[in-house]
Short mmCIF file of all heavy atoms in Angstrom, two decimals:
data_model
loop_
_atom_site.label_atom_id
_atom_site.label_comp_id
_atom_site.label_asym_id
_atom_site.label_seq_id
_atom_site.Cartn_x
_atom_site.Cartn_y
_atom_site.Cartn_z
N PHE W 381 110.62 80.50 87.96
CA PHE W 381 109.98 81.46 88.84
C PHE W 381 108.95 80.76 89.75
O PHE W 381 109.08 80.83 90.94
CB PHE W 381 109.30 82.56 88.02
CG PHE W 381 108.57 83.53 88.80
CD1 PHE W 381 109.22 84.75 89.09
CD2 PHE W 381 107.28 83.36 89.05
CE1 PHE W 381 108.54 85.69 89.89
CE2 PHE W 381 106.57 84.31 89.88
CZ PHE W 381 107.15 85.54 90.27
N ASN W 382 108.11 80.08 89.14
CA ASN W 382 107.09 79.32 89.95
C ASN W 382 107.66 78.24 90.81
O ASN W 382 107.16 78.06 91.95
CB ASN W 382 105.98 78.67 89.00
CG ASN W 382 105.10 79.76 88.28
OD1 ASN W 382 105.10 80.86 88.83
ND2 ASN W 382 104.67 79.35 87.11
N LEU W 383 108.61 77.55 90.32
CA LEU W 383 109.29 76.44 91.07
C LEU W 383 109.95 77.00 92.25
O LEU W 383 109.80 76.45 93.38
CB LEU W 383 110.25 75.74 90.20
CG LEU W 383 110.98 74.54 90.76
CD1 LEU W 383 109.94 73.44 91.04
CD2 LEU W 383 112.14 74.01 90.01
N SER W 384 110.64 78.23 92.19
CA SER W 384 111.33 78.73 93.41
C SER W 384 110.31 79.07 94.36
O SER W 384 110.52 78.69 95.63
CB SER W 384 112.08 80.06 92.97
OG SER W 384 112.84 79.92 91.85
N ASP W 385 109.23 79.74 94.04
CA ASP W 385 108.17 80.07 94.99
C ASP W 385 107.70 78.85 95.61
O ASP W 385 107.68 78.79 96.90
CB ASP W 385 107.22 80.84 94.20
CG ASP W 385 106.07 81.40 95.27
OD1 ASP W 385 106.27 81.17 96.41
OD2 ASP W 385 105.18 82.12 94.88
N PHE W 386 107.32 77.81 94.86
CA PHE W 386 106.67 76.57 95.41
C PHE W 386 107.69 75.93 96.33
O PHE W 386 107.34 75.65 97.49
CB PHE W 386 106.42 75.61 94.26
CG PHE W 386 105.74 74.28 94.72
CD1 PHE W 386 104.40 74.34 95.02
CD2 PHE W 386 106.53 73.20 95.03
CE1 PHE W 386 103.82 73.17 95.55
CE2 PHE W 386 105.89 72.13 95.52
CZ PHE W 386 104.60 71.99 95.73
N LEU W 387 108.94 75.82 95.99
CA LEU W 387 109.97 75.09 96.85
C LEU W 387 110.19 75.84 98.14
O LEU W 387 110.14 75.32 99.22
CB LEU W 387 111.28 75.15 96.02
CG LEU W 387 111.54 73.99 95.18
CD1 LEU W 387 113.04 74.07 94.62
CD2 LEU W 387 111.43 72.58 95.92
N VAL W 388 110.21 77.17 98.07
CA VAL W 388 110.58 77.92 99.16
C VAL W 388 109.29 78.00 100.17
O VAL W 388 109.45 77.52 101.36
CB VAL W 388 110.91 79.36 98.85
CG1 VAL W 388 110.82 80.34 99.99
CG2 VAL W 388 112.27 79.52 98.26
N SER W 389 108.13 78.38 99.59
CA SER W 389 106.99 78.46 100.48
C SER W 389 106.31 77.28 100.96
O SER W 389 106.00 77.18 102.17
CB SER W 389 105.89 79.40 99.84
OG SER W 389 106.57 80.40 99.10
N ASN W 390 106.21 76.30 100.08
CA ASN W 390 105.51 75.17 100.51
C ASN W 390 106.27 74.00 100.96
O ASN W 390 105.79 73.07 101.60
CB ASN W 390 104.56 74.68 99.19
CG ASN W 390 103.49 75.57 98.95
OD1 ASN W 390 103.43 76.68 99.50
ND2 ASN W 390 102.71 75.28 97.95
N ILE W 391 107.63 74.02 100.72
CA ILE W 391 108.51 72.99 101.14
C ILE W 391 109.56 73.46 102.16
O ILE W 391 109.59 73.04 103.42
CB ILE W 391 109.30 72.29 100.03
CG1 ILE W 391 108.39 72.07 98.94
CG2 ILE W 391 110.03 71.00 100.56
CD1 ILE W 391 107.73 70.68 98.87
N LEU W 392 110.39 74.22 101.82
CA LEU W 392 111.58 74.63 102.60
C LEU W 392 111.25 75.32 103.91
O LEU W 392 111.71 74.90 105.02
CB LEU W 392 112.65 75.39 101.89
CG LEU W 392 113.33 74.78 100.77
CD1 LEU W 392 114.27 75.74 99.96
CD2 LEU W 392 114.25 73.52 101.32
N MET W 393 110.37 76.31 103.70
CA MET W 393 109.98 77.08 104.93
C MET W 393 109.21 76.21 106.03
O MET W 393 109.60 76.25 107.24
CB MET W 393 109.34 78.41 104.71
CG MET W 393 110.26 79.33 103.83
SD MET W 393 109.58 80.94 103.39
CE MET W 393 109.47 81.62 104.98
N PRO W 394 108.17 75.53 105.54
CA PRO W 394 107.58 74.61 106.51
C PRO W 394 108.46 73.66 107.20
O PRO W 394 108.42 73.30 108.39
CB PRO W 394 106.39 74.08 105.73
CG PRO W 394 106.15 74.93 104.64
CD PRO W 394 107.54 75.49 104.23
N LEU W 395 109.32 73.11 106.24
CA LEU W 395 110.18 72.12 106.83
C LEU W 395 111.10 72.72 107.87
O LEU W 395 111.22 72.17 108.94
CB LEU W 395 111.05 71.50 105.69
CG LEU W 395 111.81 70.24 105.90
CD1 LEU W 395 110.72 69.16 106.01
CD2 LEU W 395 112.72 69.90 104.61
N GLY W 396 111.67 73.83 107.52
CA GLY W 396 112.45 74.55 108.64
C GLY W 396 111.66 74.75 109.83
O GLY W 396 112.14 74.54 111.00
N GLY W 397 110.33 75.22 109.71
CA GLY W 397 109.62 75.60 110.84
C GLY W 397 109.33 74.36 111.65
O GLY W 397 109.24 74.32 112.88
N MET W 398 109.23 73.04 110.94
CA MET W 398 108.90 71.94 111.71
C MET W 398 110.10 71.56 112.61
O MET W 398 109.92 71.25 113.75
CB MET W 398 108.71 70.85 110.62
CG MET W 398 108.08 69.53 111.32
SD MET W 398 107.52 68.46 109.93
CE MET W 398 108.95 67.57 109.50
N PHE W 399 111.28 71.63 112.10
CA PHE W 399 112.51 71.38 112.93
C PHE W 399 112.73 72.43 113.87
O PHE W 399 113.14 72.01 115.05
CB PHE W 399 113.79 71.21 111.93
CG PHE W 399 113.72 69.82 111.27
CD1 PHE W 399 113.35 69.70 109.95
CD2 PHE W 399 114.12 68.77 111.98
CE1 PHE W 399 113.34 68.52 109.38
CE2 PHE W 399 114.07 67.46 111.32
CZ PHE W 399 113.75 67.34 110.09
N ILE W 400 112.48 73.63 113.52
CA ILE W 400 112.83 74.63 114.59
C ILE W 400 111.88 74.52 115.86
O ILE W 400 112.25 74.52 116.88
CB ILE W 400 112.57 76.02 113.95
CG1 ILE W 400 113.69 76.42 112.93
CG2 ILE W 400 112.47 77.10 115.11
CD1 ILE W 400 113.48 77.68 112.21
N SER W 401 110.57 74.24 115.54
CA SER W 401 109.59 74.07 116.64
C SER W 401 109.81 72.78 117.39
O SER W 401 109.85 72.80 118.57
CB SER W 401 108.10 74.06 116.05
OG SER W 401 108.00 73.10 115.17
N ALA W 402 110.23 71.76 116.65
CA ALA W 402 110.36 70.43 117.45
C ALA W 402 111.71 70.64 118.31
O ALA W 402 111.66 70.14 119.47
CB ALA W 402 110.58 69.25 116.43
N PHE W 403 112.73 71.30 117.69
CA PHE W 403 113.92 71.43 118.60
C PHE W 403 113.69 72.32 119.67
O PHE W 403 114.10 71.95 120.88
CB PHE W 403 115.01 72.13 117.61
CG PHE W 403 116.29 72.50 118.38
CD1 PHE W 403 117.14 71.49 118.80
CD2 PHE W 403 116.51 73.80 118.76
CE1 PHE W 403 118.20 71.80 119.55
CE2 PHE W 403 117.77 74.05 119.50
CZ PHE W 403 118.56 73.14 119.91
N VAL W 404 113.12 73.45 119.57
CA VAL W 404 112.77 74.32 120.76
C VAL W 404 111.83 73.66 121.77
O VAL W 404 112.05 73.72 122.95
CB VAL W 404 112.32 75.64 120.30
CG1 VAL W 404 111.87 76.57 121.40
CG2 VAL W 404 113.45 76.44 119.44
N GLY W 405 110.89 72.90 121.22
CA GLY W 405 109.86 72.24 122.10
C GLY W 405 110.48 71.08 122.82
O GLY W 405 110.17 70.94 123.98
N TRP W 406 111.28 70.29 122.16
CA TRP W 406 111.61 69.01 122.81
C TRP W 406 113.06 68.95 123.28
O TRP W 406 113.41 68.34 124.31
CB TRP W 406 111.54 67.92 121.83
CG TRP W 406 110.12 67.57 121.46
CD1 TRP W 406 109.53 68.00 120.31
CD2 TRP W 406 109.17 66.74 122.15
NE1 TRP W 406 108.17 67.53 120.43
CE2 TRP W 406 107.94 66.81 121.42
CE3 TRP W 406 109.32 66.08 123.40
CZ2 TRP W 406 106.82 66.15 121.98
CZ3 TRP W 406 108.13 65.45 123.78
CH2 TRP W 406 106.97 65.40 123.06
N ARG W 407 114.02 69.71 122.69
CA ARG W 407 115.38 69.62 122.93
C ARG W 407 115.94 70.77 123.70
O ARG W 407 116.89 70.53 124.61
CB ARG W 407 116.21 69.42 121.68
CG ARG W 407 115.79 68.29 120.80
CD ARG W 407 116.25 66.91 121.37
NE ARG W 407 117.76 66.89 121.50
CZ ARG W 407 118.50 65.99 121.02
NH1 ARG W 407 117.96 65.07 120.28
NH2 ARG W 407 119.76 65.96 121.21
N LEU W 408 115.50 71.93 123.43
CA LEU W 408 116.23 73.06 124.07
C LEU W 408 115.87 73.01 125.48
O LEU W 408 114.77 72.67 126.08
CB LEU W 408 115.54 74.42 123.61
CG LEU W 408 116.30 75.74 123.90
CD1 LEU W 408 117.69 75.73 123.28
CD2 LEU W 408 115.53 76.88 123.52
N GLU W 409 116.90 73.40 126.41
CA GLU W 409 116.72 73.37 127.86
C GLU W 409 115.41 74.23 128.25
O GLU W 409 115.34 75.43 127.75
CB GLU W 409 117.91 74.05 128.50
CG GLU W 409 118.83 73.09 129.21
CD GLU W 409 119.97 73.88 129.74
OE1 GLU W 409 119.87 74.33 130.96
OE2 GLU W 409 120.99 74.04 129.03
N ARG W 410 114.61 73.74 129.02
CA ARG W 410 113.35 74.40 129.35
C ARG W 410 113.66 75.70 130.09
O ARG W 410 112.91 76.77 129.83
CB ARG W 410 112.47 73.56 130.22
CG ARG W 410 111.06 73.95 130.40
CD ARG W 410 110.36 74.44 129.22
NE ARG W 410 110.52 73.38 128.26
CZ ARG W 410 109.76 72.38 127.92
NH1 ARG W 410 108.87 72.00 128.82
NH2 ARG W 410 109.93 71.53 126.95
N ARG W 411 114.75 75.78 130.78
CA ARG W 411 115.13 76.91 131.59
C ARG W 411 115.42 78.16 130.65
O ARG W 411 115.05 79.25 130.82
CB ARG W 411 116.42 76.57 132.35
CG ARG W 411 116.82 77.58 133.43
CD ARG W 411 117.99 76.95 134.30
NE ARG W 411 119.05 76.28 133.50
CZ ARG W 411 120.02 76.93 132.80
NH1 ARG W 411 120.17 78.23 133.10
NH2 ARG W 411 120.91 76.34 132.10
N VAL W 412 116.24 77.80 129.53
CA VAL W 412 116.59 78.75 128.52
C VAL W 412 115.33 79.35 127.92
O VAL W 412 115.16 80.56 127.78
CB VAL W 412 117.47 78.21 127.43
CG1 VAL W 412 117.79 79.24 126.36
CG2 VAL W 412 118.78 77.74 128.10
N LEU W 413 114.37 78.45 127.49
CA LEU W 413 113.22 78.79 126.86
C LEU W 413 112.39 79.72 127.71
O LEU W 413 111.90 80.72 127.31
CB LEU W 413 112.33 77.46 126.56
CG LEU W 413 111.15 77.64 125.77
CD1 LEU W 413 111.33 78.24 124.43
CD2 LEU W 413 110.50 76.22 125.53
N ARG W 414 112.21 79.25 128.96
CA ARG W 414 111.46 80.19 129.91
C ARG W 414 111.92 81.48 130.17
O ARG W 414 111.36 82.44 130.00
CB ARG W 414 111.43 79.37 131.26
CG ARG W 414 110.47 78.28 131.39
CD ARG W 414 109.29 78.53 132.25
NE ARG W 414 108.02 77.67 131.88
CZ ARG W 414 107.98 76.48 132.16
NH1 ARG W 414 108.90 75.76 132.81
NH2 ARG W 414 106.94 75.78 131.76
N ARG W 415 113.25 81.49 130.24
CA ARG W 415 113.88 82.79 130.52
C ARG W 415 113.75 83.79 129.25
O ARG W 415 113.49 85.01 129.46
CB ARG W 415 115.38 82.67 130.90
CG ARG W 415 115.93 83.87 131.55
CD ARG W 415 117.40 83.83 131.90
NE ARG W 415 118.08 83.49 130.80
CZ ARG W 415 119.11 82.52 130.86
NH1 ARG W 415 119.40 81.89 131.98
NH2 ARG W 415 119.92 82.37 129.83
N GLN W 416 113.95 83.21 128.07
CA GLN W 416 113.75 83.95 126.96
C GLN W 416 112.30 84.48 126.76
O GLN W 416 112.14 85.71 126.31
CB GLN W 416 114.21 83.24 125.71
CG GLN W 416 115.76 82.91 125.57
CD GLN W 416 116.48 84.30 125.39
OE1 GLN W 416 115.91 85.21 124.82
NE2 GLN W 416 117.67 84.30 125.82
N LEU W 417 111.43 83.63 127.04
CA LEU W 417 110.02 84.05 126.77
C LEU W 417 109.34 84.88 127.82
O LEU W 417 108.36 85.45 127.64
CB LEU W 417 109.07 82.88 126.46
CG LEU W 417 109.48 82.07 125.14
CD1 LEU W 417 108.46 80.91 124.95
CD2 LEU W 417 109.36 82.96 123.92
N THR W 418 109.92 84.86 129.07
CA THR W 418 109.36 85.59 130.24
C THR W 418 109.86 87.05 130.05
O THR W 418 111.00 87.31 130.12
CB THR W 418 109.77 85.10 131.42
OG1 THR W 418 109.51 83.61 131.44
CG2 THR W 418 109.04 85.68 132.62
N PRO W 419 108.94 88.00 129.94
CA PRO W 419 109.26 89.45 129.86
C PRO W 419 109.91 89.86 131.14
O PRO W 419 109.68 89.34 132.16
CB PRO W 419 107.99 90.21 129.60
CG PRO W 419 106.96 89.29 129.59
CD PRO W 419 107.45 87.83 130.00
N GLU W 420 110.80 90.84 131.12
CA GLU W 420 111.57 91.35 132.26
C GLU W 420 110.52 91.74 133.34
O GLU W 420 109.53 92.38 133.02
CB GLU W 420 112.44 92.49 131.95
CG GLU W 420 113.77 92.01 131.62
CD GLU W 420 114.85 93.22 131.49
OE1 GLU W 420 114.47 94.33 131.69
OE2 GLU W 420 115.98 92.91 131.17
N GLY W 421 110.85 91.57 134.65
CA GLY W 421 109.99 91.92 135.68
C GLY W 421 109.01 90.89 135.97
O GLY W 421 108.25 91.08 137.02
#
Side-chain angles (χ1 to χ4, degrees):
F381 177 93
N382 292 332
L383 183 70
S384 311
D385 186 356
F386 181 83
L387 274 181
V388 167
S389 316
N390 292 3
I391 314 267
L392 292 174
M393 297 179 69
L395 200 65
M398 192 166 90
F399 280 102
I400 288 172
S401 57
F403 174 72
V404 172
W406 292 98
R407 302 287 300 240
L408 192 70
E409 255 180 87
R410 190 52 45 86
R411 194 173 44 86
V412 175
L413 183 59
R414 285 246 151 77
R415 201 180 52 227
Q416 288 293 332
L417 292 183
T418 309
E420 266 191 1

